[in-house]
Amino acid sequence: MKNLDWGKLSFGYSKTDYNVRCYYKDGKWSAPEVSDSEMLNIHMASTCLHYGQEAFEGMKAFRGKDGKIRLFRCEENAKRMLSSAEYVMMQAPSIELFEEAVVKAIELNKEYVPPYESGASLYIRPLLIGVGPQMGVAPAKEYIFVVFVAPVGPYFKAGFKPTKVMLERRYDRAAPNGTGHIKVGGNYAAGMRSGEVAHQKGYSTAIFLDSKEKKYIDECGPANFFGIKNGSYITPFSHTILPSITNASLMVLAEDMGLKVERRLIPVEELETFEEAGACGTAAVISPIGQIDDLENNKSIVFGKPDVPGEWCTKLYNRLRAIQYGDEPDKFGWVKVLNF
């Protein structure tokens, strides 16, 4: 294991030893190749640069108390990349090739998987881009699939502590029938301005409303939103929301732990009726929301105690992490134990 200060890692890029690459050309994918370069050599007329033909995933590997490395729900990430690629007319790697490349990237960099209870994990970034010269707006004929990894700390600086978020009423993250439901870079570019404004004002992120009517809760910056009230775990339903694998897992756990699960429209006025609220995703896992500020209406909604995560946020966070780290039996078949 590398001699790093694991407890002081931020959520950012750091160099590891190797990455894994596959190339699509002449109608077929190459076998995974190992590279120690951090650079991609692509044509300046590549479709990823001009027409946004790219998709990516985010996932994590964890080192358990037993020293074994565990990979969380890899197949679901592979399926989501297939869905993203299909929507923006790209040739995606098969589920088998996706998993092979991910596992190989972890194995090559296993010394960077943080130790148990360090508060850090190994973040995995599979990336698919359209390459090759293309002037007209059309799908690329060639693609590169690359998997790189980096040890990371918590996504939000506060870690598992309640944060304040800003309600975004001016800007939209995705069009009603656009690409909000797939994991492509354009969605994140569209939300970047709001995120930066939120940070400048002292908030961890911004919550977007639906882009059609501005009546319902949509995405919570780079994560899904959920609220707890009256024994229910409630999360928005919308075509513009990315189907978070973490949120899907939390819905299963919530039901298993006795909560009713509701995936539906959430009117913005309903926010003040929630007992707890949170943002969830691979990077953050769960980030409890302590306060939502509606700046345009000069209104604040507070959930529970300012510095204390809610009861259900805490229970769900601890349960999911226990499964990811192997501290609890994985009765759902979510974890792959890597034997290397």
Side-chain angles (χ1 to χ4, degrees), residues 212-255:
K212 186 177 182 180
E213 298 181 90
K214 298 287 190 180
K215 290 181 179 180
Y216 305 102
I217 299 301
D218 204 74
E219 281 272 274
C220 186
N224 278 190
F225 173 86
F226 71 89
I228 305 287
K229 73 170 184 179
N230 302 328
S232 291
Y233 178 101
I234 305 168
T235 193
F237 175 80
S238 166
H239 178 76
T240 59
I241 294 174
L242 181 73
S244 162
I245 293 162
T246 301
N247 196 9
S249 305
L250 290 173
M251 284 189 263
V252 172
L253 293 180
E255 197 165 56

Side-chain angles (χ1 to χ4, degrees), residues 193-229:
R193 175 180 291 274
S194 298
E196 281 303 301
V197 169
H199 293 157
Q200 289 166 12
K201 293 180 180 290
Y203 299 100
S204 63
T205 190
I207 294 183
F208 292 91
L209 299 179
D210 75 284
S211 53
K212 186 177 182 180
E213 298 181 90
K214 298 287 190 180
K215 290 181 179 180
Y216 305 102
I217 299 301
D218 204 74
E219 281 272 274
C220 186
N224 278 190
F225 173 86
F226 71 89
I228 305 287
K229 73 170 184 179

